Amino acid sequence: STVENTNVIRRNLVYGNATAVGTSGGIVIGSGTGNQAYNNIVRGSSQDICIQVDFNSVNGKVYNNTCYNTGGDGIVVGSDGTNTGNEVKNNIVKGSTGRPVRVYANSTSATVSNNDFHGNSLDSVLDNGVTTTISGNITTDPQFVNAAGDDFHLQSGSGAIGAGLDLSGTFTTDFYGT
């Protein structure tokens, strides 16, 4: 099989995805080194997870994404294969029917930091990984302007504003190109 490295998935709106059997991610990063998903919005997935980092992913980066009303875990790190050094930073996960982030036992050295988890079935990370770093996550309402109308800008009083890590050297625009 082919392994793809350094792919970038950015500024996508993924909605209403589902599978007939089992679960799958709205966005999947797998089988490679240095793959990235950032500045994406995944919403309304009836039975699936928002973003999946899996299938022997090494040093994958999941940054600045919004997961809204998904029918499973928000972000999953490593349910299949050996996964090492994957990072989940500055994401908002709201309204998932599972955990906002689930790190599986076959994941080593994952980082889950400075995310906002609110209104999920459980607002804590389920960590079964090896040497996972979990820090700086918050559970405040991100206060979207109009999520039903796909406007995921944050209102001026949102506790998520300023709560993320400064990644300005990595990203110069957000989902909306601002």
Side-chain angles (χ1 to χ4, degrees), residues 36-91:
Q36 301 176 38
Y38 64 87
N39 293 346
N40 297 289
I41 297 172
V42 180
R43 67 152 176 88
S45 302
S46 63
Q47 64 185 16
D48 293 337
I49 54 182
C50 173
I51 299 175
Q52 185 174 359
V53 185
D54 213 346
F55 312 108
N56 302 314
S57 177
V58 176
N59 299 330
K61 294 180 179 14
V62 177
Y63 293 166
N64 300 348
N65 298 286
T66 299
C67 300
Y68 180 71
N69 281 354
T70 57
D73 293 319
I75 300 170
V76 170
V77 180
S79 63
D80 194 19
T82 302
N83 301 279
T84 306
N86 294 293
E87 299 178 352
V88 177
K89 297 179 179 179
N90 291 12
N91 300 283

Side-chain angles (χ1 to χ4, degrees), residues 1 8 31-32 41 52 63 68 83 86 100 119 137 155-156 161 163:
S1 69
V8 176
S31 300
I41 297 172
Q52 185 174 359
Y63 293 166
Y68 180 71
N83 301 279
N86 294 293
N137 299 299
Q155 295 179 36
S156 62
I161 295 174

Side-chain angles (χ1 to χ4, degrees), residues 80-169:
D80 194 19
T82 302
N83 301 279
T84 306
N86 294 293
E87 299 178 352
V88 177
K89 297 179 179 179
N90 291 12
N91 300 283
I92 296 174
V93 181
K94 180 177 171 108
S96 72
T97 61
R99 299 273 183 165
V101 175
R102 181 181 297 255
V103 180
Y104 280 85
N106 58 341
S107 293
T108 304
S109 302
T111 300
V112 180
S113 63
N114 295 79
N115 301 284
D116 186 355
F117 308 137
H118 183 267
N120 303 289
S121 291
L122 295 165
D123 277 330
S124 61
V125 176
L126 180 58
D127 175 28
N128 292 318
V130 178
T131 62
T132 302
T133 301
I134 301 172
S135 65
N137 299 299
I138 60 173
T139 57
T140 63
D141 187 345
Q143 299 178 2
F144 298 127
V145 169
N146 180 6
D150 287 335
D151 186 348
F152 291 93
H153 286 96
L154 303 179
Q155 295 179 36
S156 62
S158 171
I161 295 174
L165 298 168
D166 181 2
L167 301 174
S168 60

